[in-house]
Amino acid sequence: MEVMLMRVNFYATLRPIVGQKTVELSLPKGTTAIQLVHQFVDDYPAMRKELLDENGNFLPHMKFFVNGREAVYLPDKFDTIIKPEDKV
């Protein structure tokens, strides 16, 4: 399985929880935006209540951007496949 290294930037209230501005995640190629979020909360469990509801869906008041566009406005929304060169 091919793996990609993703750099994920955090802002506002999430940055202090993570403890840094940017986190690197090792993800399988073909990972979707929501899979990236789930991998992240697996690595940083304190973020689960900040990002996901009880059903594992991304909370509507939080923002997730791919290349400057909010995921909810992308054609495939959170099913958008993240590419190594994407800015998340």
Side-chain angles (χ1 to χ4, degrees):
M1 171 173 54
E2 249 188 289
V3 176
M4 63 180 175
L5 187 62
M6 285 299 309
R7 296 184 69 193
V8 181
N9 295 318
F10 290 90
Y11 298 92
T13 57
L14 300 181
R15 192 177 286 176
I17 297 168
V18 177
Q20 54 196 350
K21 177 183 177 180
T22 303
V23 172
E24 290 188 348
L25 295 175
S26 185
L27 301 166
K29 282 205 172 190
T31 295
T32 64
I34 195 65
Q35 289 171 327
L36 183 152
V37 172
H38 282 273
Q39 177 62 53
F40 181 77
V41 296
D42 286 348
D43 293 349
Y44 295 86
M47 294 293 282
R48 181 172 298 280
K49 67 180 177 61
E50 303 292 333
L51 299 176
L52 300 174
D53 67 15
E54 63 278 354
N55 297 317
N57 297 313
F58 197 76
L59 291 170
H61 69 276
M62 297 303 292
K63 305 294 181 208
F64 185 96
F65 293 90
V66 179
N67 300 323
R69 292 188 62 205
E70 193 174 349
V72 295
Y73 299 114
L74 295 171
D76 294 324
K77 300 187 181 349
F78 277 91
D79 291 327
T80 298
I81 293 177
I82 303 297
K83 297 181 285 310
E85 64 273 11
D86 287 341
K87 185 176 179 184
V88 178

